Structure formats: C-alpha cells, structure tokens
C-alpha cells in the first residue's frame, strides 16, 4: 500500500518534470535503444567496451549486449573504419568511435575513397548504414590532436552525411536517426557539451522516436531563439555561446534570432534563409578556423540566396587560422560572447 508520504513524493516528482540529463547520457541511451531495436547494430572502437570510451559514452553497452556487439579494437583507425565498411556492406549497422577528432585522420582515406563512394560506385546496389562518431572541437583544455574541428573535411566529401547536435534532445534524436540511416553518417560530438544538462525525458524521446512521432531532425535546422533584428547561425559547440550572445544583446535592446544548423549535410537552406530574410542581418559562428570552412559555405549560401534582403554583409566569427593552441590560450581562440557581440555591432546599424 502506498503511504501518504510516498504519494506526496510521487506528485512532487510529477510536478517537477523530468530530471536533468547529460548530453553524454543521451548519446549512450540512443545507442542502447538502437541496439535493443535492431540486433544488427554493433558498437566498437578503441577502449569502448571495457572502459566505456575515453568519455564513457559507451559505458555499460558491453555488459548489456555482450562482447559480440560491443567490443574493443586495436589502435588502428583505418582498420576500424575498414572493418566497419565490410560489416555495413554485409547487413550490419556498425557504430564506431574515433576517440578524438584528429585521431580519425589515419582513417580518412578509407572514409573519403570507400565509405563515401560505395553507394555511387555500385549504382545504388550497396547501401552503407555506418555511423562514425567523432568527439570534436575544443573547450576541454586539451591540446592539438585532441581539439580539432574537422567537420569541413567530411562536409566537403560527397556521399557523407554530417550531423552535429548541440542539445541533449538532439543528441538522442540525431544519433537514433544516424543509426537508422542507410547512408554513412559522420556524427560530430562536441566534447565540451558532454557534461551539459537539460531537463528532458529520455523515455519520452524513445517512445516518440520508436512510434515515428518525432519530426525528423536530419536536414532541418532549428530556430532555438526567436528574434527580429539579426540572425546568428551556429552549429554544435558554437550554439551555446551564440545563445549567450543573443541574451547579452537583448540587454542592449537588440532582438537576435539564433538558428542551430544541426545537420551540416544535408543543409537546411530554407530555415536559415527564412530567418535571414526576416532579420536582414546575419552572423555565422563556428569554432573551426575560418578559411575554406563550413562557416564560409554557410556565408556564401546566405549571401547568394538573401542578397536583396540584407542590410549588411554576412559576417563570420570563427577560430583563428592556426593549429589549436595550448590549453591556457584556448579561451582566446574559441569564439566567445564578446567577439560575437563585437561582430553584431559592426552590422551597419546606423542606416
């Protein structure tokens, strides 16, 4: 029999809403749910089984699903991707972890020459349901080889999808969509967001996804803060500072809209351009260096499609064109609120 105290506690919990969940937990749950739903989903990589990965994103998966479906590999990224390629060609759905962004470079030949091209090379006869998880970008006090923003390499490679969530809910949704996709997905995970929390119900996300009730996030940017005076376009690790800058701009009397790209490939021109046409001004924010970058591509697409709606040139706030700096200089390199606000100030408001 339920006591009065227990009933009161249950009501309080219901009224309080869902408990805060970490970005990392959402990713772990997404993989576990996909593995329960499909016996063909396998997870492997360096230290992902016994240790649970460097960031513990795969923690508990081997215990629940066994060593045949979650296992460790040698320290050989090209071998990991090559093995995953063969598995995907033969009906499995591998989800592999590259451990750190720059550690994936030895596997880039496999990714660019084979993973990205197999569907086209076979005239559509061979699908490649493969997810390459890449913890990327800075903000953790790491050094070079541990904090690269390598998304442009993958986005520039036809045949690959490139996802990069910035919220806990999107971490779950996008990873489930990536695993369900019949095309290869490079899944870029902002390392500094692993420990961020949001009050979301993973049970609700799971049931909605399994029932097909969740609108697809792939190819759909999200307006995460409405505004009327300017648009900040960001993705992955750049979304939190973009939101913080918009909040600070509001204190100065400016209404700034923030659009989270969510999937770099496929890119949602419609949502991004609708926002820019409404506000007339745009700033693109990204951690990666600016030259020949995803930020450059977004800027070009907006400039081409929204030229007659713009009151000022599209501006960018990015990392600098240097190798990622030592930890104590990291805060100078990463796009922060002050740099974003300074750029907003330069959008020809005097006219």
């Amino acid at each position: 029999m339920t006591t009065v105290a227990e009933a009161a506690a249950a009501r309080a919990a219901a009224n309080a809403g869902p408990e805060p969940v970490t970005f990392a937990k959402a990713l772990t749950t997404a993989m576990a749910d996909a593995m329960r739903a499909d016996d063909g989903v396998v997870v492997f990589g360096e230290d992902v089984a016994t240790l649970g990965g460097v960031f513990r994103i795969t923690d508990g998966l081997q215990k629940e699903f066994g060593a045949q479906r979650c296992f460790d590999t040698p320290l050989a990224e090209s071998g990991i991707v090559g093995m995953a390629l063969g598995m995907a060609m033969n009906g499995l759905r591998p989800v592999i972890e590259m451990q750190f962004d720059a550690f994936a470079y030895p596997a880039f030949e496999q990714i660019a020459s084979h993973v990205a091209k197999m569907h086209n090379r076979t005239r559509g006869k061979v699908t490649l349901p493969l997810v390459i998880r890449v913890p990327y970008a800075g903000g953790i006090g790491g050094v070079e080889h541990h904090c690269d923003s390598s998304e442009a390499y993958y986005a520039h490679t036809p045949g690959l999808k490139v996802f990069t969530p910035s919220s806990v809910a999107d971490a779950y949704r996008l990873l489930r969509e990536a695993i369900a996709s019949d095309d290869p997905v490079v899944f870029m995970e902002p390392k500094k967001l692993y420990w961020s929390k949001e009050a979301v119900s993973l049970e609700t996300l799971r049931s909605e996804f399994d029932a097909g009730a969740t609108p697809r996030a792939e190819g759909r940017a999200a307006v995460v803060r409405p505004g009327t005076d300017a648009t900040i376009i960001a993705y992955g690790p750049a979304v939190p500072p973009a939101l913080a800058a918009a909040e600070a701009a509001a204190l100065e009397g400016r209404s700034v809209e923030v659009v989270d790209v969510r999937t770099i490939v496929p890119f949602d021109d419609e949502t991004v351009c609708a926002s820019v046409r409404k506000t007339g001004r745009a700033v693109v924010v990204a951690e990666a260096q600016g030259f020949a970058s995803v930020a450059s591509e977004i800027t070009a697409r907006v400039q081409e499609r929204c030229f007659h709606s713009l009151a000022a040139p599209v501006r960018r706030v990015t990392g600098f064109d240097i190798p990622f700096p030592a930890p104590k200089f990291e805060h100078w390199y990463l796009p922060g609120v002050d740099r974003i606000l300074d750029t907003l100030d330069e959008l020809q408001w005097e006219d």
Side-chain angles (χ1 to χ4, degrees):
M1 179 180 294
T2 302
T3 66
V4 174
E6 289 172 338
R11 286 195 300 272
N15 292 334
E19 291 290 321
V21 176
T22 65
F23 193 98
K25 178 65 174 177
L27 294 171
T28 307
T29 304
M31 282 185 282
D33 288 348
M35 294 175 82
R36 294 186 194 105
D38 186 346
D39 291 340
V41 179
V42 293
V43 175
F44 57 94
E46 298 165 3
D47 297 322
V48 303
T50 305
L51 182 66
V54 170
F55 299 99
R56 307 298 188 267
I57 307 301
T58 56
D59 190 32
L61 294 184
Q62 187 183 74
K63 182 178 181 180
E64 179 175 352
F65 299 100
Q68 295 297 311
R69 296 187 63 198
C70 180
F71 54 90
D72 291 329
T73 66
L75 303 180
E77 286 77 13
S78 62
I80 295 170
V81 174
M83 180 166 63
L85 172 66
M87 293 170 111
M89 290 176 66
N90 286 278
L92 295 177
R93 290 184 176 271
V95 181
I96 60 175
E97 181 180 297
M98 290 286 98
Q99 198 169 81
F100 283 96
D101 30 58
F103 291 9
Y105 297 151
F108 191 75
E109 192 279 331
Q110 290 274 16
I111 296 169
S113 296
H114 303 293
V115 172
K117 294 179 173 61
M118 189 59 65
H119 189 73
N120 184 72
R121 182 180 297 146
T122 61
R123 297 185 180 181
K125 293 180 180 178
V126 175
T127 58
L128 215 63
L130 164 61
V131 178
I132 303 172
R133 293 182 43 244
V134 183
Y136 87 118
I140 63 166
V143 295
E144 63 174 13
H145 305 309
H146 297 80
C147 292
D148 274 12
S149 292
S150 49
E151 62 269 24
Y153 299 129
Y154 305 112
H156 186 69
T157 306
L160 299 176
K161 294 178 180 178
V162 184
F163 296 0
T164 179
S166 71
S167 71
V168 171
D170 279 345
Y172 181 89
R173 292 191 196 101
L174 282 171
L175 187 51
R176 288 296 305 270
E177 290 186 21
I179 296 171
S181 174
D182 286 333
D183 298 309
V185 179
V186 180
F187 197 85
M188 311 292 290
E189 300 172 4
K191 296 189 290 288
K192 71 178 181 183
L193 298 185
Y194 279 148
W195 303 279
S196 63
K197 292 183 177 181
E198 295 174 30
V200 299
S201 169
L202 293 179
E203 179 62 38
T204 299
L205 290 173
R206 176 191 301 117
S207 60
E208 289 178 349
F209 184 89
D210 290 341
T214 305
R216 288 190 64 81
E218 177 188 329
R220 296 290 184 268
V223 177
V224 292
R225 180 188 174 97
T228 57
D229 297 334
T231 299
I232 298 177
I233 306 160
Y235 59 86
V239 173
L243 287 168
E247 185 72 22
L251 300 176
E252 301 174 355
R254 286 181 182 156
S255 174
V256 177
E257 187 151 291
V258 179
V259 177
D260 180 356
V261 170
R262 301 204 292 187
T263 66
I264 298 171
V265 182
F267 187 80
D268 183 2
D269 288 299
E270 182 178 354
T271 300
V272 170
C273 291
S275 175
V276 176
R277 291 189 186 107
K278 178 181 71 174
T279 65
R281 292 176 171 86
V283 174
V284 182
V285 182
E287 271 196 25
Q289 57 269 32
F291 186 81
S293 63
V294 171
S296 302
E297 174 64 21
I298 296 173
T299 300
R301 298 176 82 86
V302 171
Q303 196 85 5
E304 290 169 352
R305 291 163 173 78
C306 305
F307 181 79
H308 294 291
S309 300
L310 291 172
V314 181
R315 298 294 304 275
R316 292 177 295 161
V317 182
T318 68
F320 301 115
D321 294 326
I322 59 172
F324 199 87
K328 67 179 181 179
F329 300 119
E330 185 179 53
H331 68 285
W332 295 108
Y333 176 87
L334 299 174
V337 172
D338 288 343
R339 286 177 57 196
I340 297 171
L341 289 175
D342 288 345
T343 304
L344 284 169
D345 286 343
E346 297 169 0
L347 293 180
Q348 300 182 8
W349 298 96
E350 65 278 3
D351 62 0

mmCIF file of all heavy atoms in Angstrom, residues 23-46:
data_model
loop_
_atom_site.group_PDB
_atom_site.id
_atom_site.type_symbol
_atom_site.label_atom_id
_atom_site.label_comp_id
_atom_site.label_asym_id
_atom_site.label_seq_id
_atom_site.Cartn_x
_atom_site.Cartn_y
_atom_site.Cartn_z
ATOM 1 N N PHE A 23 24.215 15.395 -21.854
ATOM 2 C CA PHE A 23 24.414 15.154 -23.284
ATOM 3 C C PHE A 23 24.984 13.750 -23.491
ATOM 4 O O PHE A 23 24.546 13.002 -24.374
ATOM 5 C CB PHE A 23 25.380 16.214 -23.795
ATOM 6 C CG PHE A 23 25.494 16.344 -25.286
ATOM 7 C CD1 PHE A 23 24.788 17.322 -25.968
ATOM 8 C CD2 PHE A 23 26.365 15.542 -26.005
ATOM 9 C CE1 PHE A 23 24.922 17.479 -27.341
ATOM 10 C CE2 PHE A 23 26.510 15.687 -27.378
ATOM 11 C CZ PHE A 23 25.785 16.660 -28.056
ATOM 12 N N ALA A 24 25.962 13.378 -22.654
ATOM 13 C CA ALA A 24 26.593 12.057 -22.755
ATOM 14 C C ALA A 24 25.573 10.949 -22.540
ATOM 15 O O ALA A 24 25.554 9.948 -23.271
ATOM 16 C CB ALA A 24 27.733 11.942 -21.749
ATOM 17 N N LYS A 25 24.724 11.097 -21.521
ATOM 18 C CA LYS A 25 23.716 10.078 -21.231
ATOM 19 C C LYS A 25 22.747 9.915 -22.391
ATOM 20 O O LYS A 25 22.312 8.793 -22.705
ATOM 21 C CB LYS A 25 22.955 10.475 -19.960
ATOM 22 C CG LYS A 25 21.835 9.514 -19.569
ATOM 23 C CD LYS A 25 22.374 8.151 -19.197
ATOM 24 C CE LYS A 25 21.245 7.267 -18.663
ATOM 25 N NZ LYS A 25 21.742 5.893 -18.351
ATOM 26 N N ALA A 26 22.409 11.011 -23.048
ATOM 27 C CA ALA A 26 21.503 10.930 -24.196
ATOM 28 C C ALA A 26 22.117 10.104 -25.316
ATOM 29 O O ALA A 26 21.429 9.299 -25.960
ATOM 30 C CB ALA A 26 21.166 12.332 -24.691
ATOM 31 N N LEU A 27 23.411 10.288 -25.559
ATOM 32 C CA LEU A 27 24.089 9.511 -26.600
ATOM 33 C C LEU A 27 24.148 8.033 -26.236
ATOM 34 O O LEU A 27 23.891 7.155 -27.067
ATOM 35 C CB LEU A 27 25.509 10.056 -26.812
ATOM 36 C CG LEU A 27 25.614 11.474 -27.383
ATOM 37 C CD1 LEU A 27 27.056 11.955 -27.324
ATOM 38 C CD2 LEU A 27 25.098 11.521 -28.824
ATOM 39 N N THR A 28 24.505 7.744 -24.981
ATOM 40 C CA THR A 28 24.571 6.355 -24.526
ATOM 41 C C THR A 28 23.215 5.684 -24.666
ATOM 42 O O THR A 28 23.112 4.547 -25.151
ATOM 43 C CB THR A 28 25.030 6.296 -23.059
ATOM 44 O OG1 THR A 28 26.244 7.024 -22.905
ATOM 45 C CG2 THR A 28 25.244 4.858 -22.617
ATOM 46 N N THR A 29 22.184 6.394 -24.253
ATOM 47 C CA THR A 29 20.825 5.845 -24.323
ATOM 48 C C THR A 29 20.398 5.618 -25.760
ATOM 49 O O THR A 29 19.745 4.611 -26.078
ATOM 50 C CB THR A 29 19.842 6.789 -23.620
ATOM 51 O OG1 THR A 29 20.263 7.011 -22.277
ATOM 52 C CG2 THR A 29 18.436 6.210 -23.614
ATOM 53 N N ALA A 30 20.768 6.526 -26.647
ATOM 54 C CA ALA A 30 20.412 6.372 -28.067
ATOM 55 C C ALA A 30 21.035 5.106 -28.645
ATOM 56 O O ALA A 30 20.373 4.347 -29.370
ATOM 57 C CB ALA A 30 20.861 7.595 -28.852
ATOM 58 N N MET A 31 22.303 4.863 -28.340
ATOM 59 C CA MET A 31 22.944 3.647 -28.839
ATOM 60 C C MET A 31 22.313 2.401 -28.246
ATOM 61 O O MET A 31 22.056 1.415 -28.961
ATOM 62 C CB MET A 31 24.448 3.687 -28.547
ATOM 63 C CG MET A 31 25.229 4.565 -29.505
ATOM 64 S SD MET A 31 27.019 4.495 -29.265
ATOM 65 C CE MET A 31 27.197 5.544 -27.822
ATOM 66 N N ALA A 32 22.057 2.412 -26.939
ATOM 67 C CA ALA A 32 21.444 1.253 -26.293
ATOM 68 C C ALA A 32 20.064 0.972 -26.869
ATOM 69 O O ALA A 32 19.713 -0.189 -27.151
ATOM 70 C CB ALA A 32 21.362 1.479 -24.782
ATOM 71 N N ASP A 33 19.261 2.009 -27.065
ATOM 72 C CA ASP A 33 17.920 1.818 -27.625
ATOM 73 C C ASP A 33 17.989 1.273 -29.047
ATOM 74 O O ASP A 33 17.182 0.415 -29.434
ATOM 75 C CB ASP A 33 17.157 3.143 -27.608
ATOM 76 C CG ASP A 33 16.736 3.557 -26.204
ATOM 77 O OD1 ASP A 33 16.838 2.724 -25.282
ATOM 78 O OD2 ASP A 33 16.317 4.725 -26.029
ATOM 79 N N ALA A 34 18.936 1.771 -29.833
ATOM 80 C CA ALA A 34 19.091 1.278 -31.208
ATOM 81 C C ALA A 34 19.528 -0.182 -31.209
ATOM 82 O O ALA A 34 19.080 -0.971 -32.053
ATOM 83 C CB ALA A 34 20.099 2.139 -31.959
ATOM 84 N N MET A 35 20.392 -0.551 -30.261
ATOM 85 C CA MET A 35 20.859 -1.942 -30.177
ATOM 86 C C MET A 35 19.740 -2.874 -29.746
ATOM 87 O O MET A 35 19.657 -4.026 -30.193
ATOM 88 C CB MET A 35 22.046 -2.030 -29.222
ATOM 89 C CG MET A 35 23.284 -1.294 -29.725
ATOM 90 S SD MET A 35 24.653 -1.256 -28.543
ATOM 91 C CE MET A 35 25.393 -2.881 -28.828
ATOM 92 N N ARG A 36 18.860 -2.384 -28.861
ATOM 93 C CA ARG A 36 17.709 -3.210 -28.458
ATOM 94 C C ARG A 36 16.726 -3.379 -29.615
ATOM 95 O O ARG A 36 16.105 -4.427 -29.764
ATOM 96 C CB ARG A 36 16.992 -2.559 -27.272
ATOM 97 C CG ARG A 36 17.811 -2.506 -25.991
ATOM 98 C CD ARG A 36 16.992 -1.977 -24.820
ATOM 99 N NE ARG A 36 17.867 -1.630 -23.704
ATOM 100 C CZ ARG A 36 18.189 -0.390 -23.360
ATOM 101 N NH1 ARG A 36 17.687 0.642 -24.035
ATOM 102 N NH2 ARG A 36 18.995 -0.172 -22.341
ATOM 103 N N ALA A 37 16.588 -2.335 -30.418
ATOM 104 C CA ALA A 37 15.610 -2.364 -31.505
ATOM 105 C C ALA A 37 16.090 -3.173 -32.707
ATOM 106 O O ALA A 37 15.266 -3.667 -33.484
ATOM 107 C CB ALA A 37 15.279 -0.933 -31.942
ATOM 108 N N ASP A 38 17.404 -3.312 -32.865
ATOM 109 C CA ASP A 38 17.959 -3.956 -34.065
ATOM 110 C C ASP A 38 19.206 -4.744 -33.673
ATOM 111 O O ASP A 38 20.219 -4.166 -33.275
ATOM 112 C CB ASP A 38 18.303 -2.894 -35.111
ATOM 113 C CG ASP A 38 18.756 -3.487 -36.436
ATOM 114 O OD1 ASP A 38 19.067 -4.697 -36.490
ATOM 115 O OD2 ASP A 38 18.816 -2.732 -37.430
ATOM 116 N N ASP A 39 19.148 -6.052 -33.814
ATOM 117 C CA ASP A 39 20.289 -6.910 -33.462
ATOM 118 C C ASP A 39 21.490 -6.686 -34.367
ATOM 119 O O ASP A 39 22.598 -7.125 -34.046
ATOM 120 C CB ASP A 39 19.884 -8.386 -33.536
ATOM 121 C CG ASP A 39 18.912 -8.775 -32.434
ATOM 122 O OD1 ASP A 39 18.855 -8.048 -31.420
ATOM 123 O OD2 ASP A 39 18.213 -9.802 -32.590
ATOM 124 N N GLY A 40 21.279 -5.994 -35.485
ATOM 125 C CA GLY A 40 22.374 -5.743 -36.408
ATOM 126 C C GLY A 40 23.248 -4.566 -36.020
ATOM 127 O O GLY A 40 24.295 -4.338 -36.630
ATOM 128 N N VAL A 41 22.840 -3.798 -35.020
ATOM 129 C CA VAL A 41 23.629 -2.656 -34.573
ATOM 130 C C VAL A 41 24.758 -3.139 -33.683
ATOM 131 O O VAL A 41 24.529 -3.815 -32.671
ATOM 132 C CB VAL A 41 22.762 -1.632 -33.817
ATOM 133 C CG1 VAL A 41 23.620 -0.462 -33.332
ATOM 134 C CG2 VAL A 41 21.637 -1.119 -34.713
ATOM 135 N N VAL A 42 25.986 -2.810 -34.061
ATOM 136 C CA VAL A 42 27.166 -3.183 -33.281
ATOM 137 C C VAL A 42 27.989 -1.927 -33.005
ATOM 138 O O VAL A 42 28.025 -1.002 -33.817
ATOM 139 C CB VAL A 42 28.023 -4.244 -33.998
ATOM 140 C CG1 VAL A 42 27.287 -5.564 -34.095
ATOM 141 C CG2 VAL A 42 28.431 -3.766 -35.389
ATOM 142 N N VAL A 43 28.657 -1.900 -31.857
ATOM 143 C CA VAL A 43 29.448 -0.752 -31.434
ATOM 144 C C VAL A 43 30.866 -1.215 -31.166
ATOM 145 O O VAL A 43 31.077 -2.187 -30.428
ATOM 146 C CB VAL A 43 28.854 -0.113 -30.156
ATOM 147 C CG1 VAL A 43 29.759 1.001 -29.641
ATOM 148 C CG2 VAL A 43 27.450 0.416 -30.416
ATOM 149 N N PHE A 44 31.842 -0.532 -31.767
ATOM 150 C CA PHE A 44 33.230 -0.903 -31.480
ATOM 151 C C PHE A 44 34.174 0.256 -31.733
ATOM 152 O O PHE A 44 33.819 1.263 -32.332
ATOM 153 C CB PHE A 44 33.647 -2.143 -32.269
ATOM 154 C CG PHE A 44 33.511 -2.053 -33.768
ATOM 155 C CD1 PHE A 44 34.573 -1.670 -34.570
ATOM 156 C CD2 PHE A 44 32.312 -2.397 -34.385
ATOM 157 C CE1 PHE A 44 34.449 -1.613 -35.948
ATOM 158 C CE2 PHE A 44 32.177 -2.347 -35.767
ATOM 159 C CZ PHE A 44 33.255 -1.954 -36.550
ATOM 160 N N GLY A 45 35.381 0.117 -31.228
ATOM 161 C CA GLY A 45 36.398 1.161 -31.316
ATOM 162 C C GLY A 45 37.424 0.986 -30.216
ATOM 163 O O GLY A 45 37.427 -0.023 -29.502
ATOM 164 N N GLU A 46 38.254 1.977 -30.049
ATOM 165 C CA GLU A 46 39.335 1.896 -29.071
ATOM 166 C C GLU A 46 38.811 2.155 -27.657
ATOM 167 O O GLU A 46 38.287 3.246 -27.372
ATOM 168 C CB GLU A 46 40.424 2.912 -29.424
ATOM 169 C CG GLU A 46 41.050 2.634 -30.774
ATOM 170 C CD GLU A 46 41.861 3.797 -31.322
ATOM 171 O OE1 GLU A 46 41.987 4.819 -30.627
ATOM 172 O OE2 GLU A 46 42.355 3.679 -32.461
#
